[in-house]
């Protein structure tokens, strides 16, 4: 699954952060140029998107890309990801 960062701008000295929101919890999983656990082994970062090598139902939620320029500019984009598992077998 690839999630685009439509907030990406070609500002100088920009900082990109990715956050994952599920219910009331918010996890910062890409900041300071690094992916955090448990994402670092299954997510590829590029300035314009992130790509999951595998997804589970636990990955369902809102992904927020925030781009901050060195002049204080901020751009933000959000994508809702819904992961549907296989339907349970009928009895």
């Amino acid at each position: 699954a690839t999630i685009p960062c439509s907030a990406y701008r070609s500002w100088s000295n920009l900082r990109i952060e990715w956050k994952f929101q599920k219910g009331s919890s918010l996890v910062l999983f890409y900041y300071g140029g690094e992916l955090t656990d448990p994402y670092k082994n299954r997510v590829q970062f590029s300035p314009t998107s992130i790509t999951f090598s595998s997804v589970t139902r636990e990955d369902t939620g809102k992904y927020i890309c925030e781009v901050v320029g060195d002049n204080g500019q901020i751009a933000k984009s959000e994508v809702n990801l819904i992961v549907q598992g296989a339907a349970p077998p009928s009895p």
Side-chain angles (χ1 to χ4, degrees), residues 60-83:
T60 293
K62 184 186 292 181
Y63 289 83
I64 303 160
C65 173
E66 202 166 280
V67 182
V68 182
D70 59 356
N71 292 332
Q73 317 101 307
I74 294 180
K76 199 181 207 179
S77 65
E78 298 180 354
V79 173
N80 280 311
L81 178 69
I82 299 170
V83 180

Side-chain angles (χ1 to χ4, degrees), residues 9-55:
R9 306 287 185 270
S10 53
W11 296 329
S12 61
N13 299 322
L14 58 79
R15 186 177 82 241
I16 299 175
E17 294 180 353
W18 277 95
K19 299 168 187 167
F20 172 60
Q21 184 175 355
K22 185 171 193 156
S24 60
S25 74
L26 188 67
V27 176
L28 187 62
F29 72 89
Y30 180 86
Y31 67 100
E34 303 228 339
L35 287 157
T36 61
D37 285 324
Y39 295 93
K40 70 166 113 187
N41 295 327
R42 60 191 189 99
V43 174
Q44 288 287 108
F45 169 83
S46 87
T48 55
S49 67
I50 51 170
T51 302
F52 285 81
S53 55
S54 63
V55 291

